[in-house]
Amino acid sequence: MTTLTAVLLGAFHGLNPAMGWLFAVARGLQERDQGVVLASLPAIAAGHLASVAVVALAVGLTGSLVTATALTVLGGVVLVGFGLWRLLSDRHFRWVGMRLSHPQLAAWSFLMSSAHGAGLMLIPLFTGLHAEGRSLRGGVEVAALHTLAMFAVAGAIAIVVYRVAGLTVLRRAWFNVDRMWALALVVAGGLTLAQA
């Protein structure tokens, strides 16, 4: 169940343009090169993995269920609070430009994944692994599976959008997933608090 949940949440993260596929498409369209889209995706996935791994390691290194429970409650409160802030806020995260090196792109992905609560959403999985006594290795495996699913979905969407739609269709037809993402954070936070 933990593996399936990690993969499904990774796929959900991959759907979200804020997790990087839109940035990869924009870079590819700017350079008029599909190779730029493909080359951007591993750096984006590496940043996402780092963001999720920080949370996995924090839970895995606690060493006690009391600390893990405190992290669960704290994570749940942060998820609900951050989700409510995103639901009620009109502000959107901005970045300075499109011309980034791959390390800069990975750093951008780390910041965006962290700011959007990507690792926090997995706290119930990480604390469950901790309770089972396989927190560190299991947490790394969950983070890797989660990121692979995110990478696969984001990559597929990026290529389809780049080759078929381009940004003009996105301007006309794409709905804003920020509200859906914020609601998902609130729900995940509520579930986290219910399990604590």
Side-chain angles (χ1 to χ4, degrees):
M1 185 64 161
T2 299
T3 301
L4 178 62
T5 304
V7 168
L8 290 175
L9 285 172
F12 179 66
H13 287 180
L15 288 172
N16 187 347
M19 292 295 117
W21 68 258
L22 184 59
F23 201 86
V25 170
R27 292 183 81 215
L29 289 172
Q30 178 179 323
E31 301 296 328
R32 295 189 172 134
D33 183 0
Q34 181 176 311
V36 172
V37 176
L38 295 172
S40 299
L41 292 168
I44 290 168
H48 189 87
L49 177 60
S51 175
V52 173
V54 166
V55 176
L57 290 174
V59 172
L61 293 174
T62 58
S64 76
L65 287 185
V66 173
T67 306
T69 301
L71 275 174
T72 301
V73 171
L74 178 64
V77 169
V78 168
L79 276 171
V80 170
F82 189 72
L84 288 173
W85 175 71
R86 293 300 306 140
L87 276 172
L88 301 172
S89 175
D90 289 332
R91 297 183 68 195
H92 188 73
F93 299 108
R94 306 229 186 270
W95 191 252
V96 295
M98 300 300 288
R99 301 216 183 260
L100 301 173
S101 67
H102 287 173
Q104 289 171 326
L105 186 56
W108 170 85
S109 177
F110 174 81
L111 291 173
M112 290 300 104
S113 295
S114 299
H116 282 89
L120 295 177
M121 193 175 274
L122 297 174
I123 283 180
L125 300 180
F126 297 141
T127 55
L129 291 169
H130 183 78
E132 295 170 9
R134 53 190 192 102
S135 58
L136 209 51
R137 181 176 179 190
V140 170
E141 290 170 358
V142 164
L145 283 171
H146 169 83
T147 302
L148 283 172
M150 186 277 302
F151 178 72
V153 170
I157 291 172
I159 293 303
V160 168
V161 170
Y162 178 83
R163 297 183 94 192
V164 177
L167 289 179
T168 54
V169 169
L170 291 179
R171 281 190 212 112
R172 284 188 232 146
W174 189 258
F175 65 96
N176 185 343
V177 297
D178 276 352
R179 300 288 183 222
M180 181 179 72
W181 184 255
L183 184 61
L185 288 173
V186 171
V187 169
L191 291 172
T192 300
L193 290 171
Q195 292 175 359

